[in-house]
Amino acid sequence: MAHLKLVLTLLLLITLSIAVTLRLLQILAPRRPPPKARPYPNPHLARTPGINTPYHRLKLLGTFNPQLANQYTYLLVVLGSGGHTAEMMALLENLDRDDGSGITQYTHRRYVVSEGDEVSVRRAKAFEEEFAGACERDATSRETRGVPGGMASRDPGTNNQRPNYGSWDVVVVPRARKIHQSLWTAPMSCLRCLVACLRLLSTPPPDPKGPGMWRMKATARARPRKMMPRYPNLILTNGPATATVMVLAATVLRFFDYRGANEANALRTIYVESFARVKKLSLSGRILLPLVDRFLVQWMELVTPGSRTEYVGICVW
Amino acid sequence: MASTSHVRPATIPNQRRCFVTIGATASFRSLISVCLQPSFVQALDKHGFTELRIQYGKGGQELFDDLSKGLNQAALGTWVEISGFDINVNGLTSELRAVKASQDVSEGLVISHAGSGTILDAMRLDVPLIVVPNPELLDNHQIELAEVFSDQGYLVYGELRNLPKALDDSKLLRRKQKEQINVNTGRPVVPVEPRSIMEYEMGFSLE
């Protein structure tokens, strides 16, 4: 009788692990379907030499989803402390190094910082304020010259005086592991962080409709209202402990396909390995390598045959 | 600048600018005069440049005016628009940006004195750079910096005596920079911009 119980438990465990493995294989990177194609939120500034290669066009063709045009685009940026934040902000600034077009394609930006990291909050705020200022100047100069388009334009139908540069917020999560925290209590704090990340990911940002936000034109009432997607379309990380937990949380949500978490355009992840990692991947990097959709490295030494790493050159000057 | 009989070629090439800067502190008259030599302007034209813009510093205006008036482009058979200014108090970033490739502008070139500020700015903006150290300066520490950066393949070390050769070198270097070879696979690696990867993952598409 005891034998039978043991065998049954073993069988159950084996089936369970096979099922989990199969599910992971199904949702993780090489087999995950490509994103559904959608129009640029700011088509004036669409300039994409990289993604218009024939290969990518082929992959995107036939998947165009017109419903996605009625959704805001939502980018989640995980900031770490010190160096990680500095690199991430440099990367974001480089997105619009030429003309400000990089960040305007993401209509909501949410920055995640760890508890007590005031510096990162301030950097994100400074970045957004500078961007808003650049949009104001761009819109004003275009209006006086009568040139449409640009980084952001003001809605003509409303009294809204602010150009459409989107919205942003900062969210704080508990630290995964405090510096000098003992290893015994680390799992507990990681779990706390994971729960916070799960909650954060599944709570969409407030629909920006208040005064000064993206108000619909008064004449266009018949058009469907723009919606904020439930999950971030894209998570951008570069390796602090919080980022690891955040990607794990996204994987958990996609594993169970909780409220459409596994849709093609939800919770896609990009990991950018730190500039400081020249020859060996970091610990977060090694953990996240199989979990993220794209894994970018800044040094050629990290591109080995058969590995998923992609070389982008130094992008955090 | 050009005589009236001199007409622009029918097929207008993309704009391509060569920007020369001598920095804000010391004067560097030899660089300005070399850049306005007929041989150099011809070399620019051969490389497809359409614009030559020179930051000549305080007190360089006279030299610049004399030399650019003396240049008979009709006789040379070239069409390079020449312009200049003394100093931009807001820094040179906007001038350096104008060199970068965009919709109907081909990627240009920056020729600079070996000032570390300009070198860093140009590298940050990823524009092709030729650095010409100023031989008139005493104990020129800038030569050291220029040598190391040129050895590592970031820029071209140009000599006043032979600036047209530096143009050829810069073209070669740029090509080499764009096709880096991966040590492990032996294939050229073309870095993709993170921005493109992000936009691909978002599914942004023009069709």
Side-chain angles (χ1 to χ4, degrees):
Chain A
M1 204 56 205
H3 276 300
L4 190 66
K5 245 182 187 169
L6 194 70
V7 169
L8 274 177
T9 335
L10 267 177
L11 265 177
L12 195 73
L13 273 178
I14 291 169
T15 348
L16 204 67
S17 54
I18 290 177
V20 168
T21 317
L22 282 178
R23 175 66 179 156
L24 280 177
L25 281 176
Q26 188 191 358
I27 63 166
L28 291 183
R31 278 164 209 261
R32 182 168 194 196
K36 292 207 168 67
R38 66 191 300 165
Y40 281 91
N42 189 347
H44 301 294
L45 291 178
R47 181 184 61 84
T48 54
I51 69 168
N52 273 337
T53 56
Y55 167 74
H56 284 151
R57 261 198 212 144
L58 193 76
K59 279 184 100 174
L60 288 169
L61 258 186
T63 64
F64 196 85
N65 187 345
Q67 282 186 345
L68 286 174
N70 297 328
Q71 281 190 9
Y72 294 108
T73 53
Y74 171 14
L75 171 73
L76 187 108
V77 180
V78 187
L79 299 177
S81 49
H84 287 300
T85 301
E87 281 197 28
M88 185 55 85
M89 295 323 288
L91 188 112
L92 292 180
E93 276 157 21
N94 289 358
L95 285 185
D96 51 28
R97 186 186 280 171
D98 295 354
D99 47 11
S101 59
I103 209 76
T104 50
Q105 308 295 4
Y106 307 93
T107 43
H108 185 82
R109 283 90 55 189
R110 174 172 273 189
Y111 301 89
V112 179
V113 300
S114 326
E115 216 166 13
D117 186 5
E118 273 305 310
V119 181
S120 297
V121 178
R122 233 175 278 165
R123 297 238 15 205
K125 200 161 170 254
F127 171 73
E128 283 292 343
E129 278 166 4
E130 194 174 313
F131 174 66
C135 286
E136 290 280 0
R137 285 193 296 277
D138 183 68
T140 315
S141 99
R142 274 169 193 282
E143 275 156 22
T144 47
R145 286 179 296 144
V147 185
M151 290 161 74
S153 50
R154 297 178 216 270
D155 272 344
T158 58
N159 295 327
N160 191 354
Q161 287 307 299
R162 220 190 68 167
N164 282 335
Y165 44 71
S167 51
W168 62 280
D169 59 356
V170 174
V171 182
V172 181
V173 293
R175 270 182 194 277
R177 178 172 174 263
K178 291 192 185 75
I179 304 165
H180 306 310
Q181 185 185 336
S182 88
L183 282 175
W184 291 107
T185 51
M188 260 330 278
S189 58
C190 277
L191 206 65
R192 258 183 69 208
C193 183
L194 182 73
V195 170
C197 288
L198 284 170
R199 190 173 293 166
L200 184 156
L201 283 177
S202 46
T203 328
D207 209 339
K209 60 192 168 198
M213 297 295 228
W214 292 64
R215 210 186 269 158
M216 290 299 296
K217 286 176 200 170
T219 48
R221 201 164 292 165
R223 240 196 306 167
R225 233 173 70 76
K226 267 204 167 191
M227 297 289 285
M228 185 63 79
R230 174 177 296 278
Y231 296 110
N233 299 114
L234 187 61
I235 301 178
L236 189 63
T237 67
N238 66 353
T242 321
T244 321
V245 179
M246 186 65 76
V247 173
L248 281 176
T251 315
V252 168
L253 286 173
R254 285 178 45 219
F255 186 93
F256 297 106
D257 198 5
Y258 179 69
R259 300 199 185 179
N262 201 27
E263 275 170 18
N265 286 61
L267 293 173
R268 298 194 80 85
T269 41
I270 297 181
Y271 179 86
V272 188
E273 183 59 290
S274 165
F275 166 63
R277 295 294 172 158
V278 182
K279 291 184 174 167
K280 240 178 70 194
L281 294 182
S282 62
L283 179 62
S284 327
R286 275 173 283 158
I287 295 173
L288 293 183
L289 186 56
L291 297 183
V292 291
D293 290 305
R294 304 294 280 265
F295 196 101
L296 316 185
V297 295
Q298 306 190 45
W299 295 95
M300 201 97 76
E301 281 83 348
L302 296 174
V303 184
T304 45
S307 124
R308 301 188 46 233
T309 54
E310 290 172 81
Y311 175 64
V312 289
I314 298 170
C315 51
V316 295
W317 282 106
Chain B
M1 181 189 68
S3 63
T4 42
S5 61
H6 190 202
V7 284
R8 194 172 193 144
T11 51
I12 300 171
N14 264 359
Q15 278 198 341
R16 187 151 190 240
R17 178 183 286 195
C18 174
F19 176 60
V20 180
T21 167
I22 67 152
T25 357
S27 75
F28 193 175
R29 295 171 73 85
S30 42
L31 180 60
I32 302 174
S33 44
V34 164
C35 288
L36 289 167
Q37 295 292 319
S39 59
F40 182 70
V41 175
Q42 264 174 329
L44 277 183
D45 192 75
K46 201 185 85 194
H47 279 278
F49 284 92
T50 61
E51 264 181 272
L52 172 62
R53 188 160 170 79
I54 299 183
Q55 181 261 321
Y56 43 71
K58 281 185 186 125
Q61 172 120 36
E62 211 175 305
L63 179 71
F64 172 79
D65 286 345
D66 283 352
L67 286 170
S68 51
K69 267 186 207 118
L71 206 62
N72 187 349
Q73 290 212 50
L76 292 174
T78 60
W79 189 293
V80 179
E81 273 178 53
I82 298 174
S83 61
F85 62 99
D86 56 352
I87 238 166
N88 189 343
V89 284
N90 296 324
L92 292 175
T93 316
S94 58
E95 296 289 341
L96 295 178
R97 271 193 194 150
V99 167
K100 279 188 75 93
S102 63
Q103 206 152 35
D104 36 32
V105 177
S106 305
E107 182 177 79
L109 171 70
V110 175
I111 300 179
S112 155
H113 74 129
S116 48
T118 324
I119 293 181
L120 282 176
D121 278 346
M123 276 167 56
R124 202 175 289 135
L125 284 174
D126 190 27
V127 289
L129 178 65
I130 296 176
V131 159
V132 185
N134 189 345
E136 293 151 26
L137 289 182
L138 269 181
D139 179 28
N140 196 344
H141 61 279
Q142 296 182 332
I143 291 180
E144 231 174 80
L145 192 64
E147 274 173 352
V148 173
F149 274 136
S150 89
D151 285 346
Q152 297 192 354
Y154 285 108
L155 46 82
V156 169
Y157 188 124
E159 283 175 90
L160 277 175
R161 280 173 291 140
N162 201 351
L163 216 44
K165 181 180 169 284
L167 285 183
D168 299 332
D169 289 349
S170 174
K171 191 175 170 187
L172 280 180
L173 177 69
R174 204 60 185 160
R175 196 179 296 158
K176 222 160 76 186
Q177 280 176 343
K178 289 205 168 144
E179 314 171 345
Q180 295 194 58
I181 304 295
N182 181 341
V183 213
N184 296 309
T185 59
R187 281 198 305 263
V189 175
V190 185
V192 190
E193 273 185 285
R195 172 180 173 176
S196 306
I197 293 177
M198 283 171 72
E199 293 189 355
Y200 172 74
E201 288 297 322
M202 292 295 295
F204 291 149
S205 143
L206 290 168
E207 275 114 310

